[in-house]
């Protein structure tokens, strides 16, 4: 629907299906057609390319709006439309976005968030990701005494140009735990033995459904940071480790054991 393109068939019956889709643009005109040629052994569906993708997208979008009772009126400017009704569309709450990012390690969300942070910068002569990193750096400098040990090149943590120390990250986690927005972060962390990247770890230990954290995995690296609740406080922990594919499972066991021991200790106090 919405594709106003002529299709010409040059198909014969054969022992096997071997079809070729050939776009054809007539010389000195904008007329566009598609030729499908070859042999056909049985009924089949054929995907054809769409030349005028703007018109096609608009037709499908118009139909979808009409099904919701929104009628479009043609505007005097080609390709633009106005509506009888107005609609405001909002992003999902940051709390939901953070939960997807932290629990499932959907790294593209981290990249999107750092770029969005860049839009708050008064500067405009640099890429958004770089501006976002600078905004983050300024925030850390104002809140963490060892901020000079925290350097972030990207928003996902996948770049090997990111350089941090466990000491500085631990301090940052302590500071964040005192902020008014901390509950949003706490609810976004993956729960040991329950969901996210820690779903299958620490099961049957004191940490299960108690400790919350964030994994960080790159080739040669396996990290784990997070918090364990203690009364009205949240005790942060940081484990940064180098590893190999052959030793990763053993390293996870060590991290799980240490995390469970911390959870057990705090539960018993």
């Amino acid at each position: 629907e919405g594709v106003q393109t002529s299709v010409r068939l040059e198909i014969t019956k054969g022992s096997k299906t071997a079809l070729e889709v050939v776009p054809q643009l007539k010389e000195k005109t904008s007329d566009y057609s598609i030729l499908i040629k070859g042999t056909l052994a049985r009924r089949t569906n054929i995907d054809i390319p769409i030349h005028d993708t703007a018109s096609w997208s608009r037709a499908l979008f118009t139909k979808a709006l009409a099904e919701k009772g929104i009628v479009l009126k043609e505007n005097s400017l080609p390709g633009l439309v106005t509506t009888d009704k107005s609609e405001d569309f909002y992003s999902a709450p940051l709390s939901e976005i953070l939960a997807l990012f932290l629990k499932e390690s959907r790294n593209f969300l981290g990249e999107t968030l750092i770029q969005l942070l860049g839009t708050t910068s008064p500067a405009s002569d640099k890429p958004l990701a770089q501006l976002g990193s600078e905004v983050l750096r300024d925030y850390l400098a104002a809140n963490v005494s060892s901020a000079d040990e925290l350097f972030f090149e990207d928003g996902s943590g996948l770049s090997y140009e990111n350089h941090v120390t466990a000491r500085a990250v631990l301090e940052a986690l302590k500071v964040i735990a005192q902020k008014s927005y901390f509950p949003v972060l706490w609810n976004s962390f993956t729960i040991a033995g329950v969901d996210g990247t820690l779903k299958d770890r620490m099961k049957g230990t004191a940490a299960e459904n108690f400790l919350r954290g964030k994994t960080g995995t790159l080739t040669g690296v396996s990290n784990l940071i997070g918090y364990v609740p203690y009364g009205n406080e949240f005790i942060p922990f940081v484990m940064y480790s180098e590893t190999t594919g052959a030793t990763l499972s053993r390293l996870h066991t060590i991290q799980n054991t240490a995390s469970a021991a911390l959870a057990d200790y705090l539960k018993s106090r």
Side-chain angles (χ1 to χ4, degrees), residues 101-147:
F101 175 40
L102 297 179
K103 287 181 180 291
E104 305 294 339
S105 285
R106 298 191 183 180
N107 295 311
F108 75 93
L109 288 174
E111 298 300 331
T112 301
L113 288 171
I114 203 72
Q115 292 184 43
L116 183 61
L117 199 59
T119 64
T120 67
S121 172
S124 60
D125 58 341
K126 301 175 183 177
L128 283 178
Q130 183 178 344
L131 291 174
S133 296
E134 292 175 359
V135 172
L136 177 59
R137 199 173 307 143
D138 291 342
Y139 172 84
L140 292 171
N143 289 274
V144 181
S145 62
S146 54

Side-chain angles (χ1 to χ4, degrees), residues 6 21 65 71 73 75 92 95 123 133 135 137 140 176 187 213 220 248 251 266-267:
S6 63
V21 179
L65 290 177
V71 180
K73 289 185 176 180
N75 190 285
S95 56
S133 296
V135 172
R137 199 173 307 143
L140 292 171
I176 292 172
N187 290 327
L248 180 60
L251 175 60
L266 293 175
K267 278 185 173 180

Side-chain angles (χ1 to χ4, degrees), residues 19 28 103 153 171 178 202 225 227 237 261-262:
L19 298 175
K28 299 181 180 180
K103 287 181 180 291
E153 176 70 19
E171 182 188 353
Q178 304 303 315
M202 301 174 227
I225 69 169
Y227 295 91
F237 66 89
L262 177 60

